[in-house]
Amino acid sequence: MGISRDSQHKRRATGGKRKPICKKRQFELGRPAANTKLGPQRIHTVRTRGGNKKYRALRLDHGNFAWGSECCTRKTRVIDVVYNASNNELVRTKTLVKNAIVTIDATPFRTWYETHYASPLGRKKAGKLTEEEEARLNKVRSKKTMKKFEARKKFAKVETPLEEQYMTGRLLACIASRPGQCGRCDGYILEGKELEFYLRKIKSKKAK
């Protein structure tokens, strides 16, 4: 028996049984869930109605994530699944689905921020910088360029919870795409009220 989305087998609103008037039709078919896991990329193509294609991601470990307040999007590594509102089992098995909360690598976003604002982000005061980071932050610039960076720095404030995450090198993000349908794991970095909400949820889950 295949997976079917028909309503022939359903009872009437009154509770009475209905006799099926036809067999299963192909347009009523359903397919098994993708259950995309965290791991080296593996994507299968599925032929669908009308000769179209779906991209069934079976494993993914990278995605494009947006930093909304800074209008910056970077491809980064997905490290772990930490919370899922629908089912804790999906966290344990590290299943990537839409609206799952994951931790991602902060390095691409920190690099962009330090290049754009010429000021450090989420670094310990006594921490040593590599030659590349030193060049990025303390580069010799012309007066005109310095003026441009000084003007930018007025808007360079990052909220405290997010800065604390940059210290650890991992950011909390939410998946906005559907990995089992489009074969991609894209999303956005959590900020503001939404970040506070999920930090509370994760904390209460750990306390249990």
Side-chain angles (χ1 to χ4, degrees):
M1 294 292 284
I3 299 168
S4 184
R5 300 178 298 115
D6 67 324
S7 57
Q8 292 285 331
H9 66 284
K10 293 254 187 192
R11 284 175 178 254
R12 291 192 176 90
T14 56
K17 282 195 171 180
R18 262 196 301 207
K19 286 266 171 72
I21 57 165
C22 65
K23 290 187 176 182
K24 292 184 176 183
R25 298 287 187 253
Q26 195 186 359
F27 59 76
E28 293 168 342
L29 68 79
R31 296 187 186 87
N35 292 328
T36 311
K37 298 285 186 273
L38 200 57
Q41 181 175 298
R42 184 186 293 174
I43 298 170
H44 287 183
T45 53
V46 180
R47 187 197 179 274
T48 60
R49 191 172 164 88
N52 296 305
K53 284 180 182 175
K54 280 186 179 181
Y55 297 93
R56 186 78 82 235
L58 304 178
R59 290 182 196 166
L60 286 174
D61 60 351
H62 278 78
N64 291 319
F65 287 84
W67 186 1
S69 62
E70 294 290 346
C71 298
C72 163
T73 302
R74 290 288 177 273
K75 185 180 181 180
T76 187
R77 191 166 55 94
V78 179
I79 299 168
D80 197 10
V81 181
V82 290
Y83 183 76
N84 194 311
S86 60
N87 193 348
N88 281 336
E89 197 66 12
L90 299 177
V91 179
R92 191 183 64 79
T93 55
K94 298 191 192 311
T95 305
L96 300 172
V97 292
K98 185 175 175 174
N99 219 44
I101 305 301
V102 294
T103 50
I104 59 170
D105 184 20
T107 311
F109 297 99
R110 181 192 277 144
T111 306
W112 173 84
Y113 182 94
E114 290 178 347
T115 310
H116 188 72
Y117 291 111
S119 57
L121 174 64
R123 296 192 183 277
K124 288 170 184 143
K125 286 176 182 175
K128 284 193 175 181
L129 301 172
T130 62
E131 283 180 27
E132 190 187 328
E133 290 163 350
E134 193 74 47
R136 197 162 57 230
L137 294 169
N138 305 323
K139 192 177 171 185
V140 178
R141 297 179 174 91
S142 66
K143 281 184 181 178
K144 188 181 177 183
T145 313
M146 282 306 294
K147 202 174 177 184
K148 182 176 78 175
F149 278 103
E150 289 304 320
R152 276 182 189 171
K153 279 180 186 178
K154 290 175 188 174
F155 309 101
K157 186 80 183 84
V158 175
E159 59 185 57
T160 314
L162 199 58
E163 199 162 356
E164 285 169 5
Q165 286 183 48
Y166 273 106
M167 288 269 196
T168 62
R170 293 180 173 200
L171 301 173
L172 282 178
C174 180
I175 296 174
S177 66
R178 300 169 70 196
Q181 305 292 320
C182 65
R184 298 168 68 102
C185 180
D186 299 342
Y188 59 92
I189 293 169
L190 296 177
E191 297 178 87
K193 287 275 192 333
E194 196 176 8
L195 176 58
E196 286 171 25
F197 173 80
Y198 282 113
L199 284 171
R200 274 202 312 274
K201 288 281 184 189
I202 293 163
K203 195 177 177 182
S204 66
K205 199 181 89 172
K206 281 180 182 173
K208 283 178 184 176

